[in-house]
Amino acid sequence: STGVSAAAASALTTVCVFPLEVIKTRLASSLGGKEASGQWEELWQAGGMYSGIQPVLCKNVLTDAVYFAVSTRYTAMALQRLGRRLSAFEGLGCGYAAACTTQLIGHPVDLLCNRIMTDREHRPARWHLREYLRTEGWQALWRGLTTSLILGLCPALQFTVYERANVFARWFLGRARLSMGQTFVLAMLTKLITMTIVFPLIRGKIRMQAAFKRLQPGRHEAGPTTSLFK
């Protein structure tokens, strides 16, 4: 039930904000050196506002459904084992474990989606997958996994902060539950806080994954920190 609800919410959110996600990914990868306004204009003229949404939609629905289902399961197991309410640190640990589990499943799709969103020629997903496997090999589908596992703290931290903030807000307002508008504002604030903290690492990962060239013999793959400062 939790996974299905998360999948439905993820699908709706992806459709609504996909053009913004493309702009964010392109800016983070420094593609073409254009500012946000220039990226908007290029997408609009190319008719590619929603080009490549299918794999991104599948990835978001899959990862969000898995994350929330697994997180709920891990939390229930911890509650049963400890026999008490989880502390903030314990809740964060359950969320992080769920995020790592999700990344092990969804990371190759995430890498492919970043390639698609930074492609100015709007080529289909199957072309990117075929070229990536041909030039870099299937092992490279897991490029940046370590960074993704570290970034697993982002949804775990956001979910934990949101839960605690929700409890505090209901106590402060003297209400059994928050309204839809209050819930939206609370979720937006917690997302803003967590994204501000981890965005430099996200940018480094995107730049590393967007680099579409085969490593020469004797060269080492640049990590996210190297990619960030190049």
Side-chain angles (χ1 to χ4, degrees):
S1 178
T2 302
V4 174
S5 299
S10 178
L12 178 60
T13 303
T14 300
V15 171
C16 292
V17 303
F18 180 74
L20 285 173
E21 183 70 17
V22 174
I23 298 300
K24 184 206 78 174
T25 303
R26 289 191 170 202
L27 290 175
S29 67
S30 301
L31 181 66
K34 293 185 178 182
E35 297 298 329
S37 58
Q39 297 286 359
W40 276 111
E41 182 179 356
E42 179 179 322
L43 285 177
W44 182 263
Q45 291 177 349
M49 297 294 287
Y50 282 90
S51 176
I53 191 175
Q54 296 90 341
V56 177
L57 184 62
C58 292
K59 185 263 294 186
N60 288 348
V61 168
L62 171 66
T63 55
D64 285 357
V66 171
Y67 172 75
F68 281 99
V70 173
S71 178
T72 300
R73 179 59 178 169
Y74 286 173
T75 301
M77 291 171 60
L79 287 170
Q80 183 178 14
R81 183 177 182 82
L82 297 174
R84 57 173 173 79
R85 183 177 178 180
L86 301 183
S87 66
F89 180 76
E90 291 165 341
L92 181 62
C94 289
Y96 181 62
C100 289
T101 302
T102 304
Q103 284 298 329
L104 291 174
I105 299 172
H107 182 78
V109 185
D110 182 51
L111 185 148
L112 182 63
C113 289
N114 284 334
R115 291 296 178 93
I116 293 171
M117 288 190 287
T118 54
D119 180 18
R120 301 174 70 174
E121 297 183 29
H122 307 294
R123 288 167 290 206
R126 62 180 179 276
W127 183 91
H128 285 277
L129 180 60
R130 183 177 65 249
E131 286 299 300
Y132 196 81
L133 294 176
R134 183 180 67 83
T135 59
E136 305 194 42
W138 65 268
Q139 299 93 334
L141 287 172
W142 302 98
R143 176 179 296 170
L145 178 61
T146 301
T147 308
S148 294
L149 293 178
I150 296 173
L151 286 171
L153 283 171
C154 185
L157 180 61
Q158 180 188 346
F159 190 50
T160 302
V161 171
Y162 171 79
E163 282 192 327
R164 300 294 170 173
N166 186 282
V167 172
F168 175 78
R170 286 188 283 111
W171 170 82
F172 182 78
L173 297 173
R175 305 182 61 173
R177 59 185 301 178
L178 301 180
S179 66
M180 184 179 296
Q182 291 167 335
T183 301
F184 176 80
V185 171
L186 190 63
M188 183 177 64
L189 289 176
T190 54
K191 179 72 171 181
L192 177 63
I193 293 171
T194 52
M195 282 297 294
T196 300
I197 294 172
V198 303
F199 184 74
L201 194 56
I202 292 175
R203 185 169 187 263
K205 187 190 83 167
I206 291 175
R207 292 192 67 180
M208 177 177 61
Q209 291 182 336
F212 205 166
K213 60 181 179 181
R214 188 179 182 87
L215 294 173
Q216 298 299 320
R219 289 186 59 187
H220 296 285
E221 179 184 316
T225 306
T226 305
S227 298
L228 182 59
F229 293 105
K230 285 178 65 177

